Amino acid sequence: MTTDPGGVIAIYPGSFDPLTNGHVDIIERGARLFDRIIVGVLINLEKSPLFTVPERVSIARSVFRDYSNVEVDTFDGLLVDYARRKHATVIVRGLRAISDFEYEMQMALMNRRLNADVETVFMMPAEPYTYLSSRLVKEVVALGGTVTGLVPRVVEERLREKKLARETLKA
Ligand code: PNS
């Protein structure tokens, strides 16, 4: 494994639809551990997302505007190809519970097979976020619940705006 002269670069890939405090926690840990961490927002045309990719990028950039070693970017295609283009040698993934393990292990081993120079590093989020997922956040908000403390303030505001816009359209 070769190290970039700029230090160890890590990629934290995901859908981030939306960014939760669990993601923020992992990015902060990564920023302490690696010289640079790139939050890679997947451009996935198959899913029907709540937030567009530019919206997700703008949210993450505003949350991490004061972090000099956190970059927010988008990618499509194979993650390992993107890692190679960015000279990243680490893929960061969060592990919340045993239920995450099987899918994460499959991805990590497939990525290793595709490019053995990139190592997947798993990190556990702080305990209050171990049950948290973007899917649950969207469901709770859609059904009128509150997600204060589970997502960054900007995400809470954008979720409220989306919900209002949808309700106005339905009315
Ligand atoms: O937040 P998510 O949806 O769990 O993130 C999944 C992600 C983006 C990490 C995964 O879908 C991915 O890496 N997609 C890129 C395509 C790819 O490289 N597929 C092979 C991975 S084994």
Side-chain angles (χ1 to χ4, degrees), residues 4 9 13 32 37 52-53 62 72 79 81 112 114 125 127 148-149 154 161 166:
D4 190 85
I9 303 173
R32 287 197 290 273
I37 180 159
T52 64
V53 168
S62 79
V72 182
L79 174 59
D81 289 344
R112 181 183 285 166
L114 293 168
E127 283 164 52
T148 306
V154 57
E161 286 163 16
R166 283 179 180 208

Short mmCIF file of all heavy atoms in Angstrom, two decimals, residues 4 9 13 32 37 52-53 62 72 79 81 112 114 125 127 148-149 154 161 166:
data_model
loop_
_atom_site.label_atom_id
_atom_site.label_comp_id
_atom_site.label_asym_id
_atom_site.label_seq_id
_atom_site.Cartn_x
_atom_site.Cartn_y
_atom_site.Cartn_z
N ASP A 4 -0.22 8.54 -0.03
CA ASP A 4 -0.14 9.80 -0.75
C ASP A 4 0.76 10.76 0.02
O ASP A 4 0.75 10.76 1.25
CB ASP A 4 -1.57 10.37 -0.85
CG ASP A 4 -1.65 11.55 -1.78
OD1 ASP A 4 -1.81 11.32 -2.98
OD2 ASP A 4 -1.55 12.69 -1.30
N ILE A 9 -5.56 9.38 2.98
CA ILE A 9 -6.86 9.91 2.55
C ILE A 9 -7.91 8.81 2.69
O ILE A 9 -7.70 7.69 2.21
CB ILE A 9 -6.80 10.40 1.08
CG1 ILE A 9 -5.70 11.47 0.94
CG2 ILE A 9 -8.15 10.95 0.63
CD1 ILE A 9 -5.44 11.89 -0.50
N PRO A 13 -18.15 6.73 2.02
CA PRO A 13 -19.18 6.75 0.98
C PRO A 13 -20.57 6.48 1.55
O PRO A 13 -20.71 5.83 2.59
CB PRO A 13 -18.76 5.57 0.09
CG PRO A 13 -18.19 4.58 1.07
CD PRO A 13 -17.58 5.39 2.20
N ARG A 32 -10.40 12.93 12.71
CA ARG A 32 -9.34 12.89 13.74
C ARG A 32 -8.29 11.83 13.41
O ARG A 32 -7.13 11.95 13.76
CB ARG A 32 -9.94 12.58 15.12
CG ARG A 32 -10.72 13.74 15.72
CD ARG A 32 -10.93 13.55 17.21
NE ARG A 32 -11.86 12.47 17.53
CZ ARG A 32 -13.18 12.63 17.61
NH1 ARG A 32 -13.72 13.80 17.44
NH2 ARG A 32 -13.95 11.60 17.89
N ILE A 37 -10.54 13.33 4.95
CA ILE A 37 -11.66 12.40 4.74
C ILE A 37 -12.61 13.03 3.72
O ILE A 37 -12.98 14.20 3.84
CB ILE A 37 -12.35 12.00 6.07
CG1 ILE A 37 -13.52 11.04 5.81
CG2 ILE A 37 -12.80 13.18 6.91
CD1 ILE A 37 -13.93 10.21 7.02
N THR A 52 -32.19 15.71 -3.34
CA THR A 52 -31.38 15.53 -4.55
C THR A 52 -29.91 15.44 -4.13
O THR A 52 -29.54 15.85 -3.01
CB THR A 52 -31.54 16.73 -5.51
OG1 THR A 52 -31.01 17.90 -4.85
CG2 THR A 52 -33.00 16.98 -5.89
N VAL A 53 -29.08 14.96 -5.03
CA VAL A 53 -27.64 14.88 -4.71
C VAL A 53 -27.07 16.27 -4.40
O VAL A 53 -26.39 16.44 -3.39
CB VAL A 53 -26.87 14.14 -5.84
CG1 VAL A 53 -25.37 14.30 -5.66
CG2 VAL A 53 -27.26 12.67 -5.87
N SER A 62 -22.27 22.42 4.45
CA SER A 62 -22.55 23.45 5.46
C SER A 62 -22.27 22.89 6.86
O SER A 62 -21.76 23.61 7.72
CB SER A 62 -23.97 23.99 5.32
OG SER A 62 -24.91 23.12 5.88
N VAL A 72 -16.42 17.29 0.71
CA VAL A 72 -17.67 16.62 0.30
C VAL A 72 -17.69 16.59 -1.23
O VAL A 72 -17.47 17.60 -1.89
CB VAL A 72 -18.91 17.36 0.84
CG1 VAL A 72 -20.18 16.61 0.45
CG2 VAL A 72 -18.83 17.52 2.36
N LEU A 79 -16.90 2.17 -6.30
CA LEU A 79 -16.28 2.93 -5.22
C LEU A 79 -14.76 2.82 -5.25
O LEU A 79 -14.05 3.81 -5.03
CB LEU A 79 -16.84 2.41 -3.87
CG LEU A 79 -16.24 2.98 -2.61
CD1 LEU A 79 -16.40 4.49 -2.53
CD2 LEU A 79 -16.87 2.31 -1.40
N ASP A 81 -12.83 2.43 -7.77
CA ASP A 81 -12.27 3.25 -8.86
C ASP A 81 -12.22 4.71 -8.44
O ASP A 81 -11.25 5.43 -8.73
CB ASP A 81 -13.12 3.11 -10.14
CG ASP A 81 -12.98 1.74 -10.78
OD1 ASP A 81 -12.01 1.03 -10.42
OD2 ASP A 81 -13.83 1.37 -11.61
N ARG A 112 -12.23 -5.32 -1.53
CA ARG A 112 -10.83 -5.76 -1.40
C ARG A 112 -10.43 -6.60 -2.62
O ARG A 112 -9.33 -6.51 -3.13
CB ARG A 112 -10.66 -6.58 -0.12
CG ARG A 112 -9.24 -7.05 0.07
CD ARG A 112 -9.10 -7.91 1.29
NE ARG A 112 -9.16 -7.13 2.51
CZ ARG A 112 -9.33 -7.69 3.72
NH1 ARG A 112 -9.49 -8.98 3.84
NH2 ARG A 112 -9.36 -6.93 4.79
N LEU A 114 -11.66 -6.27 -5.56
CA LEU A 114 -11.56 -5.36 -6.70
C LEU A 114 -10.29 -4.51 -6.63
O LEU A 114 -9.73 -4.15 -7.66
CB LEU A 114 -12.79 -4.44 -6.76
CG LEU A 114 -14.12 -5.13 -7.08
CD1 LEU A 114 -15.29 -4.19 -6.82
CD2 LEU A 114 -14.15 -5.62 -8.52
N PRO A 125 -20.40 4.34 15.87
CA PRO A 125 -20.83 5.68 16.27
C PRO A 125 -21.06 5.73 17.78
O PRO A 125 -21.13 4.68 18.44
CB PRO A 125 -22.15 5.86 15.53
CG PRO A 125 -22.69 4.48 15.37
CD PRO A 125 -21.49 3.59 15.22
N GLU A 127 -22.96 5.81 21.22
CA GLU A 127 -24.11 4.95 21.56
C GLU A 127 -25.49 5.53 21.21
O GLU A 127 -26.34 4.79 20.72
CB GLU A 127 -24.07 4.60 23.05
CG GLU A 127 -23.05 3.52 23.35
CD GLU A 127 -22.74 3.45 24.82
OE1 GLU A 127 -23.69 3.36 25.61
OE2 GLU A 127 -21.55 3.52 25.17
N THR A 148 -35.35 15.93 16.44
CA THR A 148 -34.40 16.86 17.06
C THR A 148 -33.32 16.07 17.81
O THR A 148 -33.63 15.15 18.56
CB THR A 148 -35.14 17.79 18.06
OG1 THR A 148 -36.21 18.41 17.36
CG2 THR A 148 -34.22 18.83 18.65
N GLY A 149 -32.06 16.45 17.56
CA GLY A 149 -30.95 15.77 18.23
C GLY A 149 -30.45 14.56 17.46
O GLY A 149 -29.40 14.00 17.78
N VAL A 154 -29.60 21.90 10.29
CA VAL A 154 -29.92 22.25 8.89
C VAL A 154 -30.76 21.13 8.24
O VAL A 154 -31.68 21.41 7.45
CB VAL A 154 -28.63 22.56 8.08
CG1 VAL A 154 -27.65 21.42 8.10
CG2 VAL A 154 -28.96 22.90 6.64
N GLU A 161 -39.11 21.81 5.58
CA GLU A 161 -39.48 22.49 4.33
C GLU A 161 -40.06 21.50 3.31
O GLU A 161 -41.05 21.75 2.66
CB GLU A 161 -38.25 23.16 3.70
CG GLU A 161 -37.81 24.43 4.42
CD GLU A 161 -36.38 24.84 4.04
OE1 GLU A 161 -35.84 24.34 3.02
OE2 GLU A 161 -35.80 25.64 4.80
N ARG A 166 -44.65 19.26 0.40
CA ARG A 166 -45.47 18.11 0.00
C ARG A 166 -46.92 18.28 0.42
O ARG A 166 -47.84 17.97 -0.31
CB ARG A 166 -44.92 16.82 0.60
CG ARG A 166 -43.70 16.40 -0.18
CD ARG A 166 -43.03 15.17 0.29
NE ARG A 166 -41.89 14.97 -0.62
CZ ARG A 166 -41.36 13.82 -0.91
NH1 ARG A 166 -41.83 12.72 -0.36
NH2 ARG A 166 -40.35 13.72 -1.73
#
